[in-house]
Amino acid sequence: MKGLKINSRKQVLNLDNFLSPNKIREGLKTDILAKEIHYLNKIDSTNTYAKELAAAGCDEGTIVVAEEQTKGRGRLGRFWNSDNRKGVWMSIIFKPDITPTEANIFTIGASVAVVLGIKNTTGILSGIKWPNDILLVDKKVGGILTELKCEGNFVKYVIVGVGINVNQGEEDFSKDIRKKATSIKIYRESIEISDGKSERNNIIRRSDIIKGILTEMEVVYNSIINKEINDIIDKWKKYSAVLGKDITVISNKGEFTGKAEDIALDGRLIVKGTDGTKYALVSGEISIKL
Ligand code: BTN
């Protein structure tokens, strides 16, 4: 009897470890997103796959989700670790009627959707580091990779790629990455230790996190379509891990230090350099001074 109990619990845990289109659809109340779901066991990159679908004329709102990516891509051509069943590796296809410059808002909006999606499903509050990082305390738990296909001054489609570390333990990260990256599991365990609770039995389901993000991303997308960009910016400010902080800006023109003061409606970060000069950053990288 005892053995049977253990086995059945194990089975429940294992079953929960796999994603499926049905698990993602169950209870999801979106009108545009995830009407079509492409679920893959292993793929080079969900963003690359999504681009092929978009080029072949798929409906907007189509999503691609994989258990594992072999060539997961991050910003600036970096490799994105996407181990089997350890995280959310997802791409969403949009076909908005906007210009390429206006499309910057997708990364800003997707960051908001990820923070709210994680918060609503796990209760964990993450923060946004401009332009595309999601942080837990001061380590990266997720990132957004937005890619565009343009024709003239119009956007043909936008691919929003979302990567979130969910089930990794410290041992799943190399020594180097461990210093900068974390997962929802690692964070939760650290809280359990500090609040003295030995076990939290509620499992983190990646399908719930995906649903949470899709729900919030649809809110964001409606704001983009209706040109209500202020709504997105207000939420971004609320969850920003950067505003008001002293930062170092690393751009192709060199490095400088200053304070992150604001974010513009087009997604540019407004920084006041230590010499008093104001900058509006379109791209680049920042590090927050601790
Ligand atoms: C970054 O922080 O540099 C962005 C990381 C984005 C990773 C996601 S995982 C799903 C999608 N497919 C990819 O190849 N990349 C994005």
Side-chain angles (χ1 to χ4, degrees), residues 66-82:
E67 298 287 3
E68 180 181 0
Q69 296 185 117
T70 53
K71 288 184 189 154
R73 294 188 284 112
R75 245 181 103 239
L76 309 170
R78 291 181 187 133
F79 179 72
W80 180 262
N81 263 309
S82 325

Side-chain angles (χ1 to χ4, degrees), residues 45-47 69 72-75 80 89-91 132-133 140 143-145 161-163:
S45 152
T46 56
N47 263 33
Q69 296 185 117
R73 294 188 284 112
R75 245 181 103 239
W80 180 262
W89 324 128
M90 168 169 77
S91 301
N132 72 321
D133 291 350
K140 182 158 169 164
I144 319 286
L145 178 66
V162 175

Side-chain angles (χ1 to χ4, degrees), residues 32-33 47 60-62 91-115 128 130-134 143-150 154-162 213 216-227 229 232-233 236 263-268:
I32 308 168
L33 301 194
N47 263 33
E60 83 160 338
T62 298
S91 301
I92 313 168
I93 298 159
F94 297 94
K95 298 187 173 175
D97 199 3
I98 57 169
T99 63
T101 322
E102 288 172 324
N104 281 339
I105 200 65
F106 271 90
T107 305
I108 302 295
S111 311
V112 168
V114 168
V115 167
I128 307 167
W130 187 92
N132 72 321
D133 291 350
I134 307 300
I144 319 286
L145 178 66
T146 304
E147 297 183 294
L148 302 184
K149 170 81 179 167
C150 303
F154 273 92
V155 167
K156 254 194 120 187
Y157 55 81
V158 180
I159 312 287
V160 173
V162 175
I213 293 171
E216 292 300 330
M217 193 62 209
E218 188 154 300
V219 176
V220 163
Y221 190 46
N222 281 324
S223 301
I224 294 176
I225 292 172
N226 298 325
K227 311 274 180 209
I229 307 301
I232 301 172
I233 296 290
W236 190 94
I263 186 160
L265 281 178
D266 59 7
R268 287 182 299 170

Side-chain angles (χ1 to χ4, degrees), residues 25-33 35 211 215 218:
R25 276 198 193 99
E26 198 186 6
L28 183 65
K29 293 191 181 73
T30 49
D31 291 322
I32 308 168
L33 301 194
K35 293 291 139 197
K211 277 186 262 203
T215 305
E218 188 154 300

Side-chain angles (χ1 to χ4, degrees), residues 65-263:
V65 178
E67 298 287 3
E68 180 181 0
Q69 296 185 117
T70 53
K71 288 184 189 154
R73 294 188 284 112
R75 245 181 103 239
L76 309 170
R78 291 181 187 133
F79 179 72
W80 180 262
N81 263 309
S82 325
D83 291 343
N84 191 16
R85 289 189 275 151
K86 296 286 180 181
V88 169
W89 324 128
M90 168 169 77
S91 301
I92 313 168
I93 298 159
F94 297 94
K95 298 187 173 175
D97 199 3
I98 57 169
T99 63
T101 322
E102 288 172 324
N104 281 339
I105 200 65
F106 271 90
T107 305
I108 302 295
S111 311
V112 168
V114 168
V115 167
L116 288 174
I118 293 175
K119 179 171 167 272
N120 296 344
T121 50
T122 67
I124 291 172
L125 186 61
S126 51
I128 307 167
K129 179 175 159 237
W130 187 92
N132 72 321
D133 291 350
I134 307 300
L135 304 183
L136 272 179
V137 191
D138 54 354
K139 288 187 176 179
K140 182 158 169 164
V141 71
I144 319 286
L145 178 66
T146 304
E147 297 183 294
L148 302 184
K149 170 81 179 167
C150 303
E151 249 176 32
N153 199 31
F154 273 92
V155 167
K156 254 194 120 187
Y157 55 81
V158 180
I159 312 287
V160 173
V162 175
I164 303 167
N165 300 327
V166 179
N167 289 319
Q168 290 95 334
E170 296 279 1
E171 69 287 354
D172 291 310
F173 296 121
S174 69
K175 255 191 178 172
D176 256 12
I177 293 186
R178 209 173 293 170
K179 286 182 216 146
K180 298 178 271 184
T182 191
S183 72
I184 291 179
K185 179 175 178 245
I186 293 172
Y187 178 76
R188 253 186 34 157
E189 283 172 1
S190 75
I191 291 177
E192 283 162 21
I193 289 166
S194 62
D195 74 7
K197 291 191 179 123
S198 59
E199 194 192 352
R200 292 242 168 102
N201 53 10
N202 48 333
I203 305 156
I204 307 161
R205 291 189 184 87
R206 288 177 300 149
S207 53
D208 287 343
I209 295 178
I210 289 172
K211 277 186 262 203
I213 293 171
L214 290 171
T215 305
E216 292 300 330
M217 193 62 209
E218 188 154 300
V219 176
V220 163
Y221 190 46
N222 281 324
S223 301
I224 294 176
I225 292 172
N226 298 325
K227 311 274 180 209
E228 291 160 352
I229 307 301
N230 253 323
D231 291 355
I232 301 172
I233 296 290
D234 287 349
K235 287 181 194 161
W236 190 94
K237 286 182 180 173
K238 189 168 172 196
Y239 298 112
S240 167
V242 164
L243 288 188
K245 300 260 172 74
D246 291 327
I247 60 170
T248 301
V249 179
I250 306 127
S251 77
N252 47 10
K253 288 182 194 136
E255 271 189 38
F256 68 92
T257 53
K259 194 183 274 291
E261 286 200 324
D262 203 356
I263 186 160

